Amino acid sequence: MTNSLRPNGDRRAPLPPAQSPADGVPSPRSPQSTQKKQNGKQRDSFFDNAKYLAIVLVAMGHAWEPLKGDSRILEAAYQVVYAFHMPAFIIISGYFSRSFDMRPDRLKRLITGVAVPYIIFETAYPLFKRVIDNDPHQEISLLDPWYLTWFLVALFIWRLTTPIWNLVRRPLPLALGLAMLATVTPEIGDDLDLQRVLQFLPFFVLGLVMKPEHFHMVRRRSVRIASVPVFAAALAFSWWAVPRMNTAWFYHRDAAQELGAPWWTGPVMVLAMFGCSLVLTACFFAWVPRRRMWFTALGAGTLYGYLLHGFLVKAGDYQGWFEASWLHHPAGEILVTVLAAAVVTVLCTKPVQRVFRFAMEPKMEWAFKRDAAELARERQSAERREREREKVNA
């Protein structure tokens, strides 16, 4: 969630335990990143389906950004989508971060699967602007996340603080309190996009405290039916609110004072938008298929779609692709929406993953010390294999 102006029945399929902290990342870097069975369980299709559908909505929202000013209906749809697509992603990230601790192998995955891609793409996007937009003065700064990269910074910080949230007695109210304080503190500034880190924090913490039965609840048929009028009401309210509400509230990147609002509206909006986002996210989850679909495997490659589609959106912005008048009519808006969904789908596929794995999933074994426990396991495994060979030879 960014702004282009700134950088099957009621049967309950068992949900997997939150085994790997990396599964909540839109990244495939995880022991569970294939569809193979592991520890007697198979990767749950529901979460992969949810991640894929969420990333499609992200790409569609970015494609709508240059067009929505000419259409009140598109602006309303944009606001509704922005109210829940990143919260849904972040809740899943939190859910699969529940077991995160400071174990060396998990820290390695956090560095190689989140920190390193951040450094690479935080450098690549400004360089891309220099070349494509003919802007040689575009600065490169690792402290000021550019466009899409804020999510990697936020995820890195959230995951590092997971042990704290697992320790405190009331994590969700505490996270909401921090988010409310952030909206009245413009002095936080833009470093590491801390406003977004803090204002989206409650969704990550909510994911941490959720249990499998909570996902079962929203996947019931009754919730699925109820979600239809809820979404219709949300669209109608959003259409009414378009000329009356600043869309920047949905980006969660500014304090209330920076949006020209009284300070007290910040905490009120945090609570109001958290409630609205939670309801719409539940409605979204209700319609996510729980069985394996043609796009299920793409859910393991959503980091690729997330980080790469931004180059195409930005290229279109820099080169004036969205300025064609026919695109600012319903037929053009529908075409752009379909193209955005198709492009991000392609970017999540295996061939694209193979090409860009060096940036998204660098192994970097050379950069880390060998963990003593890992070395001991390898010695035990080697000794066991040697004993088996001796028995065969005997």
Side-chain angles (χ1 to χ4, degrees):
M1 189 274 300
T2 62
N3 178 14
S4 67
L5 300 179
R6 293 183 59 173
N8 297 348
D10 290 321
R11 292 179 297 172
R12 297 182 177 180
L15 295 176
Q19 299 174 16
S20 169
D23 229 19
V25 197
S27 164
R29 187 152 186 81
S30 161
Q32 293 182 323
S33 62
T34 66
Q35 291 293 329
K36 298 178 181 179
K37 289 186 178 181
Q38 181 177 6
N39 296 329
K41 293 183 181 290
Q42 189 173 7
R43 185 180 177 107
D44 191 280
S45 297
F46 169 80
F47 293 106
D48 281 329
N49 292 338
K51 288 194 292 181
Y52 166 76
L53 294 173
I55 210 65
V56 167
L57 290 173
V58 169
M60 288 166 50
H62 291 157
W64 291 345
E65 178 70 34
L67 308 175
K68 64 185 180 65
D70 298 321
S71 171
R72 185 171 177 177
I73 295 176
L74 190 61
E75 179 84 35
Y78 178 88
Q79 289 186 354
V80 172
V81 168
Y82 266 58
F84 74 88
H85 68 350
M86 286 309 295
F89 229 124
I90 295 168
I91 287 171
I92 295 175
S93 298
Y95 179 75
F96 282 100
S97 296
R98 296 186 302 167
S99 63
F100 182 83
D101 52 26
M102 297 300 175
R103 208 173 71 184
D105 61 327
R106 288 172 174 165
L107 287 174
K108 289 178 184 178
R109 284 200 297 272
L110 182 62
I111 293 171
T112 59
V114 178
V116 172
Y118 169 73
I119 294 171
I120 292 175
F121 282 88
E122 180 63 15
T123 304
Y125 269 111
L127 290 177
F128 182 77
K129 188 177 192 300
R130 288 185 183 184
V131 175
I132 303 301
D133 197 31
N134 193 25
D135 183 7
H137 302 294
Q138 174 63 47
E139 295 182 353
I140 299 174
S141 172
L142 296 181
L143 294 179
D144 188 9
W146 206 84
Y147 195 37
L148 300 168
T149 58
W150 71 268
F151 179 72
L152 297 179
V153 172
L155 187 61
F156 188 85
I157 295 173
W158 295 334
R159 185 152 289 159
L160 280 181
T161 61
T162 293
I164 298 176
W165 300 112
N166 287 334
L167 179 65
V168 298
R169 189 182 296 273
R170 297 286 186 270
L172 186 56
L174 178 58
L176 280 169
L178 290 175
M180 293 165 68
L181 287 174
T183 61
V184 299
T185 315
E187 295 81 7
I188 289 177
D190 294 328
D191 288 350
L192 299 180
D193 232 341
L194 287 178
Q195 278 287 356
R196 274 178 168 155
V197 173
L198 293 173
Q199 291 191 37
F200 276 112
L201 174 64
F203 297 104
F204 182 81
V205 175
L206 176 62
L208 288 176
V209 301
M210 288 183 71
K211 295 178 172 59
E213 51 265 32
H214 295 134
F215 287 98
H216 289 314
M217 290 172 61
V218 300
R219 292 159 65 178
R220 292 181 299 186
R221 185 178 181 182
S222 58
V223 179
R224 193 156 58 246
I225 294 173
S227 67
V228 175
V230 170
F231 267 123
L235 284 169
F237 178 81
S238 184
W239 185 88
W240 173 84
V242 164
R244 299 171 174 85
M245 179 179 177
N246 189 343
T247 302
W249 283 107
F250 293 92
Y251 305 143
H252 299 279
R253 68 174 183 219
D254 299 299
Q257 297 93 321
E258 295 173 295
L259 296 177
W263 69 268
W264 56 267
T265 60
V268 172
M269 288 298 290
V270 165
L271 294 177
M273 296 191 70
F274 181 77
C276 292
S277 296
L278 196 55
V279 171
L280 291 177
T281 300
C283 293
F284 168 71
F285 283 151
W287 279 97
V288 171
R290 67 190 68 183
R291 65 185 184 278
R292 183 171 176 81
M293 308 291 288
W294 64 266
F295 54 79
T296 301
L298 301 178
T302 46
L303 180 62
Y304 293 84
Y306 178 78
L307 290 175
L308 294 175
H309 87 277
F311 290 105
L312 296 176
V313 174
K314 283 299 183 182
D317 188 21
Y318 301 150
Q319 299 298 310
W321 298 348
F322 296 103
E323 294 177 5
S325 59
W326 64 273
L327 288 179
H328 295 257
H329 295 87
E333 294 164 356
I334 293 172
L335 177 61
V336 169
T337 302
V338 173
L339 286 176
V343 166
V344 78
T345 297
V346 171
L347 294 177
C348 294
T349 58
K350 291 294 183 181
V352 174
Q353 293 180 38
R354 285 193 292 269
V355 173
F356 291 97
R357 185 165 285 123
F358 74 95
M360 314 287 194
E361 303 179 78
K363 294 187 179 298
M364 297 182 60
E365 297 298 336
W366 53 268
F368 302 105
K369 296 179 180 179
R370 300 296 301 276
D371 180 38
E374 182 181 356
L375 290 172
R377 286 193 296 269
E378 289 182 359
R379 284 196 299 267
Q380 292 175 357
S381 179
E383 291 172 357
R384 184 167 55 252
R385 287 195 299 268
E386 182 63 27
R387 287 194 300 268
E388 290 174 354
R389 281 196 297 268
E390 291 177 353
K391 289 180 181 179
V392 171
N393 293 334

